[in-house]
Amino acid sequence: MLKHKLLFPVFAVLGIAALLYALRSGTWGFFIATIGVALAVTAWGSFDIRLGYFTTAKFRKNNPPQKVIALTFDDGPSSHTVEILDLLARYQAKATFFCIGKQIEQYPTIFKRIIEEGHSIGNHTRTHSHRFGFLNTAQVIAEIENCDTIIAQFLGHTPALFRPPFGVTNPSVAKAVEVLNKQLIGWSNRSLDTVITNADKIYERVKSRLRSGDIILLHDTSQRSVYAVSKLLADMKAEGYACVSVDDLLNLPLYED
Ligand SMILES: [Zn+2]
């Protein structure tokens, strides 16, 4: 697998060589192409967490011994989380909620219910900044630590699992995760439920790609996600899948302490 640490020096050497050639010859095509490829690879590596370009994330369980999936819900808690919890209880399913600190402050009662009903909690930063991909290491660390503090007030523990907003990984995120000793969690089946507006299409997208061992990315922030989850849970039950938390699926510790 290609890694940032391996490719960056290659791009740097190629870039300098291309620059020297351009300055000497007056021909800039090679230099522009080198920069373009370097930027494209970096952008791709930043936004596809499965590539492990900057740092290694766990994103599915390979060859699980039985039919199993892990549902994960990002960006809550929200008012829609209640219906998700009702569905999970009805199907005796466990899930993992990657919560945003400021959402926990807004919906503390719902957050307590997630914990009380035995679901797993992961860190999804304090504010879920749209600039997350551009934060420096200290800022990423602060985002994660501030979320940890809020979660620990309710949970009594600091979560070990972290999912970056938008699934972004870059050198700042890689360093922060290393410093804070977090386990990065990605996904292998993305619902696109914040992009696709048709609830049936969200369900069909996840269903058509489903493989045992998948970590499914959903958001407990909309009615269409609730609908898709209701159909998925009914299917999973009919097909004999167990719905477990990410820490159970991957046999990982859930807390740091
Ligand atoms: Zn998110």
Side-chain angles (χ1 to χ4, degrees):
M1 184 71 81
L2 292 173
K3 302 285 176 194
H4 176 67
K5 274 181 185 156
L6 199 75
L7 273 187
F8 184 75
V10 175
F11 284 132
V13 169
L14 274 178
I16 291 165
L19 181 61
L20 291 175
Y21 173 76
L23 289 172
R24 192 177 282 192
S25 67
T27 307
W28 287 85
F30 183 39
F31 178 68
I32 291 165
T34 305
I35 298 297
V37 169
L39 286 176
V41 168
T42 305
W44 187 23
S46 298
F47 283 99
D48 194 338
I49 198 167
R50 291 172 299 179
L51 292 175
Y53 186 61
F54 292 101
T55 182
T56 309
K58 294 194 185 297
F59 57 88
R60 63 172 277 109
K61 166 106 173 166
N62 288 320
N63 307 312
Q66 75 261 33
K67 288 172 95 175
V68 65
I69 54 149
L71 297 176
T72 65
F73 296 96
D74 287 12
D75 296 1
S78 82
S79 56
H80 298 284
T81 310
V82 174
E83 286 172 272
I84 298 281
L85 288 171
D86 289 344
L87 284 168
L88 292 169
R90 190 187 309 161
Y91 287 97
Q92 295 175 309
K94 289 287 180 270
T96 307
F97 291 81
F98 287 93
C99 296
I100 300 173
K102 67 176 187 182
Q103 291 297 118
I104 297 171
E105 289 175 325
Q106 200 176 338
Y107 297 97
T109 311
I110 297 174
F111 185 63
K112 278 185 211 159
R113 191 181 151 194
I114 299 174
I115 297 169
E116 282 163 9
E117 298 189 2
H119 302 292
S120 294
I121 303 292
N123 184 317
H124 197 47
T125 73
R126 162 84 171 81
T127 70
H128 204 282
S129 166
H130 286 289
R131 294 183 53 255
F132 185 75
F134 302 98
L135 301 184
N136 64 34
T137 304
Q139 290 168 321
V140 173
I141 288 175
E143 274 284 345
I144 298 173
E145 283 190 324
N146 290 341
C147 184
D148 272 353
T149 303
I150 296 164
I151 289 174
Q153 285 167 5
F154 294 88
L155 194 60
H157 299 281
T158 307
L161 309 182
F162 170 64
R163 178 177 280 161
F166 319 109
V168 168
T169 53
N170 58 31
S172 300
V173 174
K175 186 71 191 165
V177 164
E178 185 191 326
V179 168
L180 296 173
N181 197 27
K182 295 287 182 200
Q183 173 62 59
L184 262 185
I185 301 294
W187 53 80
S188 54
N189 192 326
R190 185 176 203 170
S191 65
L192 292 181
D193 58 347
T194 56
V195 181
I196 300 170
T197 52
N198 181 313
D200 276 308
K201 289 217 165 83
I202 295 168
Y203 157 72
E204 282 156 20
R205 178 185 159 89
V206 174
K207 188 71 201 303
S208 65
R209 290 153 193 261
L210 194 76
R211 289 185 300 159
S212 185
D214 266 353
I215 295 177
I216 300 171
L217 170 61
L218 291 146
H219 295 79
D220 49 331
T221 55
S222 72
Q223 205 53 45
R224 57 184 188 262
S225 301
V226 173
Y227 172 84
V229 169
S230 72
K231 293 200 75 173
L232 282 170
L233 282 170
D235 283 0
M236 296 301 96
K237 185 181 172 156
E239 293 172 24
Y241 277 91
C243 291
V244 304
S245 62
V246 164
D247 48 302
D248 269 357
L249 179 77
L250 300 173
N251 200 18
L252 292 171
L254 185 54
Y255 309 128
E256 278 182 2
D257 47 0

